Amino acid sequence: MGEEGKHHADYTNFNTTDRKEALQLLVDSYEALALDQRNWVCNLSNASSLLWHAYKSINVNVNWTGFYITVPEKEEMLLGPFQGKVACQTIEFGKGVCGASASTQETQVVGDVDKFPGHIACDGETKSEIVVPIVTKDRKTLGVIDLDCLDYNGFSDIDKQYLEKLAALIVETCDF
Ligand code: SME
């Protein structure tokens, strides 16, 4: 199908069960959608949908895919665009998996959330999680990408690799 005949919803048809292929398509789709749009609410809303559908296509049992965004001048994040159930609204830097990622500026891959000290359980059914920081070139944490899974060990280094690409693109393409 040519780009002209493409509907926005078609971006969520991943049609692959290959992890790397789906995640590369996710990154490419985000980039295409953000070409003529710099508003962060708009871009991250579509990104949370792409994340949800990409992981569902590869049969990862995600129950939450979304963002926490740093409050200007504070070491605190607020709930951003997401797909899934209602979630915690505020997370301080250093608290839980999201806060750990925001303050260390390192991706956190957690195979069993009960083994992560201070994990914040927004949904008691979550078993594993990955959180990727969104960090500017001058080392400011703009927020985090957060994905939760209903199974243990839902995420690995492959996810880290592609989600870090997505985070870098978000820094380039959004005005916060
Ligand atoms: N579990 C996260 C909190 C956010 S929710 O999962 C959506 C944490 O410990 O950071």
Side-chain angles (χ1 to χ4, degrees):
M1 182 174 39
E3 288 296 311
E4 336 67 80
K6 189 162 177 156
H7 296 109
H8 277 80
D10 296 332
Y11 282 104
T12 46
N13 297 334
F14 282 88
N15 296 326
T16 177
T17 51
D18 181 83
R19 199 171 197 107
K20 289 185 177 173
E21 207 180 311
L23 295 176
Q24 186 58 52
L25 193 54
L26 156 76
V27 169
D28 293 344
S29 300
Y30 174 82
E31 197 168 19
L33 287 163
L35 267 183
D36 55 2
Q37 180 56 254
R38 295 196 57 83
N39 178 282
W40 70 267
V41 175
C42 180
N43 284 345
L44 299 190
S45 297
N46 272 337
S48 61
S49 173
L50 289 171
L51 286 162
W52 181 270
H53 290 281
Y55 278 94
K56 291 291 180 194
S57 84
I58 59 172
N59 300 314
V60 175
N61 221 350
V62 284
N63 57 331
W64 205 88
T65 62
F67 296 87
Y68 280 89
I69 302 300
T70 306
V71 180
E73 317 303 330
K74 282 200 177 176
E75 299 230 310
E76 185 180 290
M77 295 180 290
L78 271 184
L79 181 61
F82 71 95
Q83 304 271 307
K85 291 185 184 172
V86 167
C88 315
Q89 284 142 292
T90 310
I91 298 180
E92 283 173 48
F93 280 28
K95 296 274 168 68
V97 187
C98 290
S101 177
S103 57
T104 60
Q105 302 189 326
E106 298 281 347
T107 295
Q108 309 287 315
V109 182
V110 180
D112 177 352
V113 291
D114 289 332
K115 295 200 173 123
F116 190 97
H119 165 252
I120 303 162
C122 292
D123 181 346
E125 293 192 340
T126 297
K127 298 286 191 296
S128 62
E129 163 162 16
I130 183 168
V131 181
V132 178
I134 304 169
V135 182
T136 62
K137 293 212 164 53
D138 58 350
R139 312 301 300 162
K140 266 199 256 154
T141 301
L142 295 174
V144 298
I145 306 171
D146 180 15
L147 310 186
D148 294 349
C149 180
L150 293 170
D151 301 312
Y152 293 109
N153 303 309
F155 308 102
S156 69
D157 270 359
I158 297 174
D159 305 282
K160 173 177 173 342
Q161 190 190 322
Y162 285 90
L163 297 176
E164 286 180 355
K165 284 197 215 179
L166 177 65
L169 270 178
I170 288 168
V171 173
E172 279 175 34
T173 55
C174 293
D175 294 326
F176 285 87

